[in-house]
Amino acid sequence: MLDVRRILLFTEVARRGSVTATARALNYTPSAVSQQVSRLEAEAGQPLLERHARGVTLTDAGRALAERGERIERELTAAENELADFAGLRAGTLRVGTFPTVGASLLPRAVIAFRQTHPDVRLTVRSARIAGLWAMLENREIEMSLMWDYDWNRIDREDIVVTSLVDDPPALLVGKDHPLAGRSSAALADFADDAWITRADHHPVAEALTRSCRAVGFEPQIAYEAHDYQEAQAMVAAGIGVALAPTLALEGIRGGVSVLPLLPPAPVRRILLVRMSDHALTPAAEAFAGFLRDSAAVAGGR
C-alpha cells in the first residue's frame, strides 16, 4: 500500500516543481525529500518524476498521483475542520437518557443552558424507567444517563462510571384538612394509622415506603396505587390517603396538598449520572455534564 505521507510530500514536490524548493519550504534536506520520493516510486513500481537541472517533470503516473494527492489533502483538511467543529461544539449530536421526575425538575435547567451555549449541537433526550435506560446505555443509543439508587440497592458495576449529582430526600404529602397539615416537618411513625397512596407496578418509591415504614414499626396500609406523582397528589387532595414522594418530584404542587419534610429515618435516593466505562465522553457530553452538575447544585441548595 502506498504511504500517504509520502504521497503528500510528492504532491508538494509536484506543486513546487523542485525537490530543493520543497525541502526549503518544509524544512527538510533535499536528500531526505529525494529519498522519500524514491521510496514512493518503489512502492508504485514505476518512475513518478523525471529529474533535470532546472527541477523535475512529472511522468503520466506522477501527474495522476499528484492529482490524487491534492484530493487527499482536501479530504484531510476537511476532516481536521470537521473534528475541530466537534471539539469546539459547533456540530454533532448528543444523546442523553433520563427518567420522569428528573426530566421534569433538574434536567430542564441543564438543557436550556446547554442549548444557549452550544446551539449547533443537536441534543436528544430519551426518558425511560431504569431497565430501559440500562438497555439504551449498553446498546450505545445514549452516551450517558441520569439514574437513581437507594442505600439498599446501590448501582455498582465494574463496567460503568458513576457520578453522584445530588441527594433527593423524600417528603410527605397530606391533604389540607389532615390533622398534621400545619406542621413544618413530620416523622413516618406519626402516620402509622393513615391510609397510604403509593406508586404502582413495583416502583422503587413503593419499596422505599414499605422499607421505611417497617423500619419504624408498622406496615403501610395501601389505599391507592398511582402511576405518576400528579395522580398521587390528586388522590391526596381528595382525602384518600397520604403519600411519600421524592422532593424532585414536587415541582408543581396542586391545591389541597401540603408538603411536609420528612424527619429521619428517611429513604434518601441519590441522583446519578452514569456512562459505560469504555465509552469516553465527547466534548459535548462533557459540557452537558457540567451543566447537570450546576443544576444539581441549585436543586441541592434549596
Side-chain angles (χ1 to χ4, degrees), residues 95-99 107 124-128 132-133 136 141-142 145:
R95 302 177 304 278
V96 178
T98 189
F99 56 97
L107 184 63
T124 60
V125 182
R126 301 280 300 277
S127 181
L133 295 175
M136 287 187 283
E141 294 177 50
I142 53 178
S145 184

Side-chain angles (χ1 to χ4, degrees), residues 135-217:
M136 287 187 283
L137 269 180
E138 292 164 354
N139 295 335
R140 303 302 194 267
E141 294 177 50
I142 53 178
E143 290 184 53
M144 58 186 179
S145 184
L146 290 153
M147 292 193 182
W148 75 93
D149 68 9
Y150 286 97
D151 281 340
W152 59 84
N153 190 25
R154 289 300 194 204
I155 291 177
D156 184 19
R157 290 174 40 168
E158 294 182 355
D159 60 343
I160 61 172
V161 176
V162 177
T163 301
S164 181
L165 294 177
V166 67
D167 285 344
D168 187 18
L172 283 163
L173 306 182
V174 302
K176 291 290 189 181
D177 296 329
H178 193 281
L180 302 182
R183 288 191 177 185
S184 59
S185 61
L188 274 176
D190 298 332
F191 298 85
D193 296 328
D194 282 85
W196 284 86
I197 298 160
T198 190
R199 290 296 303 272
D201 302 326
H202 307 289
H203 192 279
V205 170
E207 182 181 2
L209 172 65
T210 301
R211 284 176 172 269
S212 300
C213 292
R214 288 173 179 171
V216 296

Side-chain angles (χ1 to χ4, degrees), residues 5-68:
R5 289 171 296 182
R6 292 187 185 122
I7 293 175
L8 296 176
L9 178 62
F10 172 77
T11 303
E12 191 66 22
V13 172
R15 184 180 295 119
R16 295 181 180 276
S18 166
V19 169
T20 301
T22 300
R24 188 182 304 116
L26 300 181
N27 199 29
Y28 292 164
T29 65
S31 175
V33 174
S34 292
Q35 287 178 7
Q36 292 301 313
V37 172
S38 295
R39 290 179 182 176
L40 183 61
E41 288 178 317
E43 291 173 351
Q46 57 191 304
L48 302 173
L49 295 176
E50 293 178 357
R51 297 161 177 82
H52 47 77
R54 294 185 178 181
V56 296
T57 302
L58 301 180
T59 65
D60 289 343
R63 278 191 293 274
L65 187 58
E67 290 177 2
R68 293 284 184 182

